[in-house]
Amino acid sequence: MVKPDPEYVQKRIVCSDVERARESLLNPKIIEQKKEERTIDELAKPLIEVSLKEGIETVWDRYEKQQPECKFCAEGLSCSRCAMGPCRIIPEHGRVRGVCGADADLIVARNLLDTIATGAAAHSDHGREIIETLHKTAIGEAQGYTITDGVKLRRIAEEFGFETERLTDEELARDVALALLEEYGTTKNYVQFSRRAPEKTQKIWNATGITPRSVDREIVEAMHRVHMGVGADYANILLHGLRTSLGDGWGGSMMATDISDVLFKTPEINESTVNLGVVKKDHVNIALHGHNPVLSEMVVRA
Ligand code: SF4
């Protein structure tokens, strides 16, 4: 994203869309300049132009209004983890530790672990929702959903050591769904799909103590460790960031991908139309956010 000219931002403080629109109309050159700065996508340029002319606020406007960014936050050197703060590390002013004693390394590491845990929670919980949908599909409580890739379902069942021969897809899906939900809090001390990794990689994880023990456990422990007065060693905090990431990557996210395939079909390579070119003038256009397919796939099927 192109940073705006600081002088321009200082001179032009806009309070509302209406004001900004009025001002933009007076400055067609600015509209032209911003259109070029904001995207290289020729299809998006006309829309950006309309948004600027009509005062429709977009992500670029909000970004510009946020400038200049807080440099302590941008560098990870601020902390508002507890009520004794917020604290910032400013060595030139002698502020080298937060009130609790955390130094710059620890504050940066805690902030990073916090970010990792948030991402891992978001992806993994998405997986949980998909698995719950598989379970409801299996027991006949999810109207409209079906098991689309039974072959993949059976492959996953075999990874858990299930007998697949005599069971229907629905019976197997029920058992697989329950086994996958169990992975979130498993006490066996590893997530099943981490066994898919090359042996050499697994050995490295074990040697460094970053084999994920369960999906939820690593996220909860991350939140525990970033709390004031808990984690004190930045290297240890960062190692737990790796373990939390692996719990998501080989746990929650991988389960989300595999069960999305079971429910909605394993993707194949095909030709498609993308971008704003899909919008049709004479149709009602419905834009779907497909990141979590549980709803969007069903809207498409309907
Ligand atoms: S945890 Fe420490 S650095 Fe963070 S706000 Fe509290 S006292 Fe300040």
Side-chain angles (χ1 to χ4, degrees):
M1 204 172 274
V2 180
K3 291 218 178 215
D5 173 359
E7 203 179 316
Y8 165 72
V9 171
Q10 275 168 19
K11 279 183 189 164
R12 191 163 169 261
I13 296 171
V14 176
C15 301
S16 71
D17 291 346
V18 178
E19 272 182 84
R20 191 165 60 81
R22 195 182 306 129
E23 199 169 338
S24 295
L25 284 170
L26 294 172
N27 293 280
K29 272 193 196 154
I30 290 176
I31 292 177
E32 203 49 43
Q33 180 196 327
K34 285 192 169 294
K35 203 171 73 181
E36 295 303 319
E37 277 175 8
R38 289 179 173 187
T39 185
I40 56 168
D41 181 348
E42 292 302 324
L43 287 174
K45 283 179 185 174
L47 284 186
I48 289 175
E49 185 173 347
V50 170
S51 72
L52 285 163
K53 282 182 175 167
E54 296 188 5
I56 300 164
E57 189 180 276
T58 62
V59 62
W60 291 283
D61 301 301
R62 292 189 288 274
Y63 177 77
E64 287 180 9
K65 284 176 188 173
Q66 285 295 336
Q67 303 308 309
E69 289 167 335
C70 166
K71 81 180 181 73
F72 303 102
C73 293
E75 290 173 1
L77 290 171
S78 63
C79 179
S80 53
R81 217 159 281 289
C82 82
M84 291 197 293
C87 303
R88 290 169 299 168
I89 301 300
I90 316 175
E92 51 275 28
H93 293 182
R95 298 188 200 176
V96 290
R97 289 182 188 275
V99 178
C100 65
D103 64 7
D105 291 337
L106 184 58
I107 289 177
V108 169
R110 284 193 315 203
N111 287 340
L112 179 60
L113 179 55
D114 193 340
T115 306
I116 291 171
T118 308
H123 278 125
S124 294
D125 217 33
H126 161 176
R128 190 183 338 246
E129 202 177 26
I130 306 243
I131 299 164
E132 282 173 348
T133 307
L134 178 69
H135 185 247
K136 285 194 170 141
T137 305
I139 60 174
E141 288 184 8
Q143 200 189 350
Y145 291 88
T146 51
I147 293 157
T148 310
D149 192 342
V151 175
K152 185 152 194 172
L153 173 68
R154 280 166 197 277
R155 222 165 43 226
I156 297 167
E158 279 162 12
E159 286 184 65
F160 281 92
F162 292 159
E163 166 60 51
T164 57
E165 290 290 307
R166 281 173 287 114
L167 298 183
T168 64
D169 277 358
E170 283 68 26
E171 287 166 337
L172 212 47
R174 179 201 55 208
D175 294 351
V176 165
L178 291 175
L180 293 176
L181 286 171
E182 193 73 19
E183 290 291 287
Y184 283 84
T186 182
T187 51
K188 67 181 187 294
N189 270 340
Y190 64 90
V191 292
Q192 190 63 42
F193 290 172
S194 68
R195 293 297 189 255
R196 293 175 174 180
E199 215 168 296
K200 195 173 166 192
T201 305
Q202 291 185 50
K203 277 188 182 153
I204 295 170
W205 293 347
N206 287 333
T208 40
I210 58 169
T211 299
R213 294 160 295 178
S214 81
V215 180
D216 287 348
R217 176 162 188 189
E218 306 312 354
I219 295 166
V220 169
E221 188 168 319
M223 299 322 293
H224 180 181
R225 286 202 195 183
V226 298
H227 192 40
M228 189 272 286
V230 182
D233 175 357
Y234 76 90
N236 202 258
I237 292 268
L238 293 176
L239 275 176
H240 188 66
L242 295 176
R243 181 154 57 173
T244 308
S245 310
L246 292 174
D248 174 36
W250 292 86
S253 287
M254 199 171 276
M255 292 192 279
T257 305
D258 277 4
I259 300 307
S260 294
D261 291 349
V262 169
L263 283 172
F264 305 115
K265 197 168 179 276
T266 302
E268 301 163 346
I269 296 173
N270 60 16
E271 275 187 23
S272 184
T273 312
V274 299
N275 212 328
L276 291 165
V278 299
V279 175
K280 290 189 179 141
K281 247 185 178 173
D282 55 348
H283 282 59
V284 174
N285 295 279
I286 302 174
L288 295 170
H289 184 276
H291 185 72
N292 185 340
V294 168
L295 174 65
S296 54
E297 281 287 335
M298 298 311 280
V299 175
V300 172
R301 277 187 196 175

